[in-house]
Amino acid sequence: MPLPKLLYLCINDASDTRINKEIKTLATSFDIVYLGIGRDDSKAFAKPHCRSFHLVKGHHKSPSTLFRYFFTFIKLYFSNRLASIHVINEQLLMIFFPFLWWSRSKVVADIFDSIFLRTNKAWIRSLQSVIYGLPKAIIVTDDNRKTLVPKAFHSKTWVVENFPYAFGDVPPRAVSDTELLILYSGSLGVTRGTNLLNDLIQYSPAIKIWMVGWVYDEPTRQLSQHPQVTFWGVKTQQETMRLASACDYILSLYEPINDNNLNASPNKIYDAIQARTPVIINAEIKIADFVAQNHLGYVMESYYAKDVAEVAHDLLRLKNQFVFTPSFLQTYTWEAIEHKLLQAHH
């Protein structure tokens, strides 16, 4: 007997780590119809788990690409008998609002990069109650971000954390008192730590960077070409975890420029636990308190570090002094919480 169909709507090319985890879990109960945007499907890691895979070629900021995306949605929406619709972030809820409204008992909104937390424009924020009234369920990535959802919608808000798959293949780490190897992964840009890394490699030739993920701006592209930097491209979560486990630190910086960054729920914190590799995080981010309390990494006093020599010396001095609580290895895993994603749909 065929499984019920689920339409998964996003503007990603199916390479995103969280999207991959979600689709793999949802595929145990649904036939996935995937609709995304990308230039090619060479890194579409989620594709094998989809019954039907549709990638609109182009960039998500291109009007012609969005036009083709809209009409592909119309075709899929009316040609499939859908049991559920999974929508990534509020922008797509807005674009497809009239259609999704008629199917609102099937819609699950997955909010992990909220437009309402990234803007101070009153007219956009005024739409929040209307948009959040549409889905039957809203998914956020931690308890703190749930508090940022209007109270009227708390009863239908699910917390599905940004935990990684369990990882047990941790190799012995090379120990050096004079060298540093830092992993810079995920969304790579000037608001995520590019400037600090530039300063560190200019300060010392003994500091090396491994970059994994998506480059979003010219300064970061230039960083990727520095002789002290190795750029690995886009990798699966398990491949990234193996690289992380060989490093001294995982960079997890967020420039404190909006509520979305201040309330970031980075998977890197939990990757660090599985890889047994401490993070570097700035104190402005709320989850930095969790890092400090559990001794999971180095907390910078500010994102805007003024003394790069002090940061470099601290990183070298402390890099072998972080101990990871064994129970965390089972608690902070996708396997432990993925059932909540299915419950939100059922």
Side-chain angles (χ1 to χ4, degrees):
M1 184 175 179
L3 294 172
K5 288 186 178 180
L6 180 149
L7 177 60
Y8 195 102
L9 288 176
C10 68
I11 58 171
N12 186 260
D13 61 2
S15 64
D16 179 83
T17 297
R18 182 176 174 94
I19 286 173
N20 272 271
K21 289 183 294 189
E22 289 188 338
I23 287 178
K24 190 173 180 180
T25 295
L26 291 169
T28 63
S29 295
F30 297 95
D31 281 339
I32 308 297
V33 180
Y34 184 94
L35 176 58
I37 296 175
R39 291 187 172 90
D40 66 75
D41 62 359
S42 61
K43 297 296 183 181
F45 304 126
K47 187 175 181 179
H49 303 290
C50 300
R51 176 57 63 106
S52 174
F53 186 85
H54 306 269
L55 195 67
V56 176
K57 298 297 175 65
H59 192 276
H60 68 272
K61 292 185 179 180
S62 163
S64 63
T65 301
L66 292 174
F67 184 82
R68 288 182 285 115
Y69 183 83
F70 182 87
F71 280 97
T72 305
F73 164 80
I74 298 299
K75 178 182 177 181
L76 295 174
Y77 181 81
F78 285 107
S79 63
N80 288 281
R81 187 176 181 179
L82 300 172
S84 201
I85 304 173
H86 191 98
V87 185
I88 300 295
N89 293 324
E90 300 103 339
Q91 294 94 317
L92 294 181
L93 289 174
M94 295 178 188
I95 292 171
F96 300 122
F97 190 93
F99 301 95
L100 297 178
W101 179 258
W102 290 107
S103 303
R104 58 189 181 276
S105 64
K106 303 175 183 178
V107 175
V108 173
D110 193 352
I111 313 298
F112 55 85
D113 189 17
S114 175
I115 189 174
F116 299 121
L117 298 179
R118 288 191 284 114
T119 183
N120 290 318
K121 294 179 179 179
W123 72 270
I124 292 180
R125 292 213 170 195
S126 67
L127 296 173
Q128 188 172 21
S129 292
V130 175
I131 298 302
Y132 280 19
L134 188 156
K136 69 171 183 179
I138 298 170
I139 293 174
V140 295
T141 50
D142 62 31
D143 290 322
N144 175 55
R145 288 180 81 94
K146 182 176 179 177
T147 68
L148 303 175
V149 173
K151 288 185 179 180
F153 306 110
H154 279 197
S155 62
K156 66 176 182 180
T157 300
W158 293 75
V159 175
V160 180
E161 294 88 347
N162 226 353
F163 299 163
Y165 288 111
F167 181 76
D169 188 22
V170 179
R173 184 177 285 113
V175 177
S176 171
D177 294 330
T178 59
E179 296 181 343
L180 274 179
L181 179 58
I182 301 172
L183 182 73
Y184 185 26
S185 61
S187 298
L188 311 174
V190 292
T191 64
R192 298 292 181 87
T194 292
N195 293 337
L196 174 68
L197 294 179
N198 264 319
D199 291 343
L200 285 171
I201 58 178
Q202 294 299 326
Y203 171 75
S204 171
I207 297 176
K208 304 292 193 298
I209 312 297
W210 282 359
M211 292 176 61
V212 182
W214 302 267
V215 173
Y216 279 93
D217 51 49
E218 181 59 22
T220 307
R221 187 192 67 79
Q222 292 180 15
L223 174 67
S224 71
Q225 297 177 345
H226 192 279
Q228 289 167 236
V229 176
T230 301
F231 181 52
W232 296 86
V234 177
K235 296 290 184 181
T236 66
Q237 181 193 316
Q238 292 300 93
E239 290 170 334
T240 302
M241 198 74 76
R242 278 190 283 273
L243 294 173
S245 66
C247 292
D248 296 307
Y249 290 95
I250 300 171
L251 193 73
S252 186
L253 297 188
Y254 288 80
E255 188 173 8
I257 53 176
N258 56 42
D259 287 341
N260 195 55
N261 281 9
L262 290 170
N263 295 279
S265 182
N267 60 291
K268 299 180 189 71
I269 305 301
Y270 309 105
D271 290 351
I273 293 170
Q274 295 297 321
R276 286 70 145 182
T277 301
V279 296
I280 305 168
I281 194 168
N282 50 305
E284 296 97 335
I285 308 308
K286 289 189 177 180
I287 202 168
D289 291 338
F290 174 78
V291 172
Q293 290 164 9
N294 293 285
H295 205 53
L296 299 178
Y298 176 69
V299 180
M300 293 173 51
E301 291 184 4
S302 172
Y303 177 89
Y304 308 102
K306 295 180 180 179
D307 190 342
V308 68
E310 181 182 9
V311 172
H313 291 156
D314 284 347
L315 292 175
L316 273 169
R317 176 174 57 85
L318 297 170
K319 71 173 187 173
N320 296 316
Q321 296 184 23
F322 299 96
V323 178
F324 294 88
T325 304
S327 64
F328 284 11
L329 298 175
Q330 286 76 44
T331 302
Y332 297 111
T333 67
W334 182 253
E335 291 91 337
I337 55 90
E338 63 179 327
H339 64 279
K340 294 194 285 186
L341 174 63
L342 294 171
Q343 288 173 345
H345 277 274
H346 289 306

